[in-house]
Amino acid sequence: FITGNLWKDWRNKLVVAALRGQGIRLFEIDIDGKISNEQPLLKELGRVRTVQQGPSQNLYILTDNGNNEDKIFILRPKN
């Protein structure tokens, strides 16, 4: 789950890597623990192996596209 006040609209939402579906998925979970909204994001990155939030609140996104084209992207919250 994304934490930190800098993320505003994304705060407390679940962010998941999408290896097969490509990009990342942002899920909103309702009070009953059910998915109430799913938003695909950043499909242009291709296959995403993992996404983690660091202590500075940035999201670190690792791709797994093969052919020595794997990259780490840093996604920063808007100020």
Side-chain angles (χ1 to χ4, degrees):
F1 287 91
I2 296 178
T3 60
N5 291 332
L6 296 178
W7 284 100
K8 298 179 183 159
D9 293 340
W10 287 18
R11 192 167 57 125
N12 297 324
K13 293 185 180 176
L14 179 64
V15 64
V16 177
L19 252 178
R20 187 171 187 200
Q22 301 189 345
I24 62 174
R25 299 276 192 274
L26 190 66
F27 293 97
E28 192 169 341
I29 311 296
D30 67 19
I31 193 134
D32 297 322
K34 296 179 182 173
I35 296 170
S36 61
N37 189 26
E38 175 186 354
Q39 183 178 4
L41 301 167
L42 304 172
K43 289 185 84 167
E44 63 273 10
L45 296 181
R47 294 166 43 98
V48 174
R49 170 68 58 187
T50 190
V51 57
Q52 295 284 325
Q53 187 174 26
S56 62
Q57 296 187 25
N58 294 333
L59 293 179
Y60 294 86
I61 301 168
L62 174 66
T63 64
D64 186 10
N65 293 310
N67 297 324
N68 291 323
E69 294 184 20
D70 301 335
K71 297 179 180 164
I72 298 173
F73 293 91
I74 300 172
L75 188 60
R76 294 177 174 89
K78 269 182 153 180
N79 290 339

